[in-house]
Amino acid sequence: MMVLKTLDDASAPFISYPQMVTVLADTAEAGDCTEAEKEHLHALGAAMFFTHQSDGTWLGSYRGAGPDSWACSPDQLPPGVHAVWTAYADTTAHPAVLARLHHLLWTVRHGDRPITHLQAAITNYRHAASVLLAADTGSHP
């Protein structure tokens, strides 16, 4: 529950994915969470640090807490990371976060019916656009 609350708090109000990563990483390093929670926070941080390239691929730049940076492509990450994304892909509150997680899960063709991730990504991107425009924070991702 702590991870979901942190994820939801980091995305409300939504400013940008990189700002969310700062909150997730700071929480993971604060020492007030279990190792499993830290792993979840880092997996979610990695998801928020992927950028969609003009050629349709994703490029990741998440460093994480260890000495080695995370893989630069979502399909190079361990299946456990994809499982974490799946765990939060339908439970987090902000549609931009839901869209990002489902988009990445579609990219790696995760699950028995990956098309459901594509459908969820599209639906949530559309909803996120409305939410972000209505918020009018002056900064739109």
Side-chain angles (χ1 to χ4, degrees):
M1 276 313 253
M2 183 280 290
V3 175
L4 180 59
K5 181 176 178 356
T6 302
L7 182 62
D8 286 343
D9 289 350
S11 63
F14 187 88
I15 303 299
S16 70
Y17 293 118
Q19 287 183 334
M20 286 183 60
V21 173
T22 301
V23 173
L24 297 171
D26 287 351
T27 303
E29 297 313 308
D32 296 338
C33 51
T34 67
E35 285 303 311
E37 290 169 332
K38 284 182 185 181
E39 289 176 18
H40 284 216
L41 290 164
H42 284 298
L44 292 165
M48 300 309 136
F49 243 30
F50 277 103
T51 55
H52 199 240
Q53 305 297 296
S54 60
D55 66 357
T57 62
W58 289 89
L59 179 64
S61 59
Y62 189 68
R63 290 282 310 154
D68 300 323
S69 59
W70 285 55
C72 293
S73 176
D75 60 348
Q76 295 172 344
L77 292 170
V81 171
H82 302 152
V84 169
W85 294 348
T86 301
Y88 296 93
D90 290 320
T91 57
T92 189
H94 202 284
V97 178
L98 293 168
R100 168 60 61 96
L101 294 172
H102 280 292
H103 195 165
L104 288 167
L105 290 164
W106 160 252
T107 299
V108 299
R109 304 303 193 264
H110 184 76
D112 295 335
R113 292 190 31 114
I115 193 72
T116 59
H117 292 299
L118 178 60
Q119 292 167 326
I122 292 167
T123 298
N124 284 293
Y125 278 129
R126 286 180 173 160
H127 185 208
S130 299
V131 169
L132 294 170
L133 288 171
D136 195 26
T137 60
S139 173
H140 300 290

